[in-house]
Amino acid sequence: MNQFRGVLLLAAGAFALYQGWKLHTGSHAMWAYGLGVLAVAVGLWRILRKPDQPLL
């Protein structure tokens, strides 16, 4: 499940970066770049982290 969420976050991050690139300037573009970088970073973290240990 973490890998699926990671891929989904990577796609959302790529979309946000693309929208920021389309806007180029202004505060909305900066928000899009910031959210895109954050989503890509969290997506990579979800993909690369070790799986959780079972409770039992």
Side-chain angles (χ1 to χ4, degrees), residues 11-37:
F15 179 74
L17 289 172
Y18 172 70
Q19 291 297 320
W21 179 76
K22 276 185 17 180
L23 294 174
H24 288 298
T25 60
S27 64
H28 293 296
M30 290 299 126
W31 275 105
Y33 286 137
L35 290 175
V37 168

Side-chain angles (χ1 to χ4, degrees), residues 1 10 20-21 34-35 42 47:
M1 189 67 175
L10 287 177
W21 179 76
L35 290 175
V42 172
I47 289 173

